[in-house]
């Protein structure tokens, strides 16, 4: 039997080879062939999940909710110290100094990254802005969100915090952060499907021991992670409850 | 019962607060409002009776109580006398019926100052059973705070029981 591994489409593009290396490591640990299936966007990945074509997933927090509550997936681990936060930024010379300065009718550059969009929309509430009073410029990547701000096509942009910090120094200098979330609960998680019951324990101990093992440490390095932390079912349930309160 | 703290010009009143269990506390209530911390969420969880079981760091900072002082206390520890009883009746009816509750809430800090939040409360379902509630508060818009303050004042605050 071949297992299917997939990764949330919002992974950093320069980590693509890292995920292939992780896939090889995983197959060796489980002594089972593992196929890495990558999807272009969230919609395509969700279709694969719905069709039960996913066994192991490094999931976006938003999708983790659906995987746990509707599909019987179980959380195993999350990367050390990698909470997902959102940034709302403007062009450096923009007159706006805080979120409350933003006005109805503003055009906002955003991606299809669901949790970043949700956290950012939540931060607009104090400015009395909502889905109904802003317009969106849908971008395929955070680099394009930055471009939309620099070209004046959009007045504000939503970023995954880590993606904003990863923009080139030249680009970052021409942008200004209006607000950055500090939620500290929302995070990507590695989950296994209900069919993987028998190998779950084995996989979790292999993940947790990765940083101590020379080969494992190399694999972590290529993913940009320091190590994995165990995640209990209740940790993920709490994150899901919290996100449910944020969804409007 | 009202007076002014000469040094700061802030209006201060002493008020005896009565809680549902009959206990009382004499609180010094000021009109000083602490701004909501940008980008953060104030999170707490309770058991099914509304007794606090978990608070996050922002909750501790904003309430002015230590975590140890909060855990095990009824959530009304934060109740501000300007909040009408009807708001909380609505909260409990809504969440007991299994629905999500949203509302603007003025909270009382340990030091008598206040902070406004936009709160959402949901039931925590585990294996189909309600095991407790989670409340997540975020920064409210000024316009909605002012509207809420007016309508709560019209409802007479805690007196309107
Ligand atoms: C999860 C949860 C969070 C709550 N948070 C608050 C709060 O922040 N401030 C508050 O005054 N009441 C809060 N309440 C409502 C209190 O339980 C209580 O109903 C309210 O303070 C009124 O007090 P009383 O019922 O003693 O009249 C919360 C209730 C729940 C279930």
């Amino acid at each position: 039997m071949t297992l299917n591994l997939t990764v949330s489409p919002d992974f950093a593009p320069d980590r693509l080879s890292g995920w292939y290396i992780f896939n090889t490591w995983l197959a060796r640990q489980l002594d089972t062939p593992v196929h890495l299936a990558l999807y272009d966007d969230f919609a395509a990945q969700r279709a694969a999940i719905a069709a039960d074509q996913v066994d192991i997933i490094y999931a976006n927090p938003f999708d983790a909710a659906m995987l746990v509550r509707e599909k019987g997936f179980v959380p195993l681990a999350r990367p050390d110290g990698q909470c997902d936060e959102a940034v709302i930024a403007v062009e450096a010379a923009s007159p706006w100094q805080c979120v409350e300065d933003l006005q109805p009718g503003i055009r906002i550059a955003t991606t299809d990254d669901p949790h970043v969009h949700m956290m950012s929309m939540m931060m607009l509430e104090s400015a009395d802005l909502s889905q109904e009073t802003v317009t969106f410029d849908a971008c395929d990547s955070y680099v394009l969100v930055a471009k939309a701000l620099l070209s004046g096509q959009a007045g504000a942009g939503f970023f995954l915090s880590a993606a904003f910090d990863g923009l080139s120094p030249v680009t970052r200098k021409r942008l200004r952060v209006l607000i950055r979330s500090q939620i500290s609960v929302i995070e990507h998680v590695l989950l296994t499907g209900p069919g993987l019951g028998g190998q779950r324990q084995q996989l979790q101990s292999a993940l947790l021991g990765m940083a101590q093992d020379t080969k494992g440490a190399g694999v972590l390095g290529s993913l940009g992670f320091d190590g994995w932390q165990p995640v209990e079912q209740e940790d993920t349930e709490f994150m899901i409850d919290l996100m449910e309160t944020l969804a409007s | 019962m009202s007076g002014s703290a000469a040094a700061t010009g802030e209006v201060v009143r002493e008020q005896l607060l009565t809680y549902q269990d009959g206990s009382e506390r004499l609180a010094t209530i000021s009109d000083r409002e602490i701004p909501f911390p940008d980008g953060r969420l104030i999170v707490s969880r309770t058991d099914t009776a509304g007794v606090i079981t978990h608070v996050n760091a922002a909750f501790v900072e904003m309430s002015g109580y230590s975590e140890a002082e909060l855990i095990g206390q009824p959530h009304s520890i934060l109740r501000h006398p300007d909040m009408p009883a009807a708001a909380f009746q609505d909260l409990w009816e809504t969440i007991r019926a299994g629905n999500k509750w949203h509302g603007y809430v003025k909270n009382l800090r340990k030091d008598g100052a206040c902070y406004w939040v936009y709160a959402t409360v949901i039931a925590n379902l585990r294996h189909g059973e309600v095991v407790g509630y989670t409340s997540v508060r975020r920064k409210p818009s000024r316009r909605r705070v002012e509207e809420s303050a007016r309508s709560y004042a019209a409802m007479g605050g805690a007196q309107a029981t």
Side-chain angles (χ1 to χ4, degrees):
Chain A
M1 188 186 80
T2 299
L3 295 172
N4 286 307
L5 165 71
T6 187
V7 178
S8 174
D10 60 359
F11 69 86
D14 55 343
R15 297 299 177 193
L16 179 63
S17 60
W19 285 107
Y20 278 101
I21 295 167
F22 178 74
N23 185 69
T24 306
W25 176 88
L26 196 63
R28 221 166 269 148
Q29 297 303 315
L30 296 174
D31 201 16
T32 310
V34 180
H35 168 66
L36 177 61
L38 294 175
Y39 301 92
D40 287 342
D41 52 38
F42 285 96
Q45 187 173 70
R46 284 191 199 123
I49 295 166
D52 296 326
Q53 287 165 354
V54 172
D55 301 299
I56 304 172
I57 179 169
Y58 182 65
N60 178 284
F62 207 83
D63 287 335
M66 174 265 293
L67 289 159
V68 168
R69 295 263 163 103
E70 290 162 35
K71 284 290 189 177
F73 275 65
V74 177
L76 278 192
R78 65 174 174 83
D80 270 344
Q82 298 237 345
C83 275
D84 289 1
E85 303 289 355
V87 158
I88 302 180
V90 294
E91 204 258 318
S94 135
W96 299 312
Q97 300 302 319
C98 62
V99 166
E100 288 79 14
D101 289 343
L102 300 178
Q103 296 298 317
I106 186 170
R107 192 167 175 79
I108 295 172
T110 183
T111 62
D112 70 346
D113 215 345
H115 67 311
V116 173
H117 190 80
M118 178 184 73
M119 290 189 276
S120 303
M121 286 306 293
M122 188 268 292
M123 292 194 290
L124 285 185
E125 288 170 353
S126 63
D128 253 324
L129 296 175
S130 68
Q131 208 98 295
E132 286 77 45
T133 51
V134 302
T135 57
F136 295 111
D137 187 1
C139 300
D140 284 337
S141 71
Y142 291 111
V143 170
L144 294 176
V145 172
K147 281 203 173 129
L149 293 179
L150 296 179
S151 69
Q153 196 182 322
F158 294 169
F159 294 87
L160 176 69
S161 192
F164 182 85
D165 297 336
L167 293 170
S168 76
V170 183
T171 306
R172 244 180 317 155
K173 242 196 169 141
R174 296 174 60 198
L175 300 174
R176 181 156 43 81
V177 174
L178 279 191
I179 192 166
R180 191 186 282 265
S181 73
Q182 291 170 263
I183 295 174
S184 322
V185 174
I186 298 180
E187 57 205 12
H188 279 64
V189 256
L190 190 81
L191 305 121
T192 54
L196 233 80
Q199 283 150 302
R200 201 166 277 150
Q201 212 53 50
Q202 186 191 350
L203 179 53
Q204 193 180 41
S205 15
L207 288 166
L208 301 185
M210 240 174 139
Q212 280 75 54
D213 168 86
T214 323
K215 254 211 188 105
V219 177
L220 283 171
S222 59
L223 288 171
F225 297 165
D226 295 334
W228 295 93
Q229 284 288 324
V231 175
E232 302 293 328
Q233 180 87 15
E234 183 53 30
D235 298 334
T236 304
E237 295 279 2
F238 178 44
M239 176 179 85
I240 298 170
D241 284 336
L242 186 130
M243 288 197 298
E244 199 181 321
T245 69
L246 298 186
S248 44
Chain B
M1 292 225 297
S2 288
S4 280
T8 59
E10 101 191 26
V11 181
V12 177
R13 67 186 200 248
E14 296 271 309
Q15 192 166 335
L16 188 67
L17 303 179
T18 311
Y19 297 93
Q20 215 150 51
D21 65 358
S23 65
E24 291 178 333
R25 125 169 141 102
L26 184 66
T28 305
I29 294 167
S30 75
D31 62 353
R32 189 162 57 97
E33 182 180 348
I34 308 297
F36 195 103
D38 271 328
R40 297 179 74 181
L41 297 174
I42 300 176
V43 182
S44 64
R45 288 200 278 177
T46 70
D47 63 14
T48 51
V51 172
I52 301 173
T53 55
H54 163 97
V55 289
N56 74 348
F59 190 109
V60 171
E61 283 166 39
M62 287 301 281
S63 70
Y65 291 95
S66 69
E67 183 170 349
E69 287 174 308
L70 291 164
I71 304 293
Q73 292 301 310
H75 221 308
S76 52
I77 187 169
L78 297 186
R79 183 179 184 173
H80 198 286
D82 292 349
M83 281 300 292
F88 296 116
Q89 256 157 36
D90 179 54
L91 180 159
W92 279 101
E93 273 166 28
T94 306
I95 61 176
R96 286 211 170 104
N99 297 315
K100 207 194 284 199
W101 183 85
H102 296 279
Y104 294 85
V105 178
K106 183 179 189 176
N107 276 321
L108 181 65
R109 288 164 50 95
K110 186 180 183 182
D111 64 7
C114 69
Y115 58 102
W116 278 93
V117 301
Y118 174 58
T120 304
V121 185
I122 59 160
N124 306 134
L125 280 166
R126 302 289 183 267
H127 312 289
E129 248 180 79
V130 176
V131 298
Y133 300 102
T134 296
S135 176
V136 176
R137 298 108 180 146
R138 45 230 238 210
K139 187 176 183 181
S141 92
R142 234 30 245 178
R143 182 178 66 84
R144 299 307 292 270
V145 166
E146 279 152 23
E147 271 174 25
S148 305
R150 274 196 299 276
S151 75
Y152 292 157
M155 290 161 86
Q159 279 77 49
T161 357

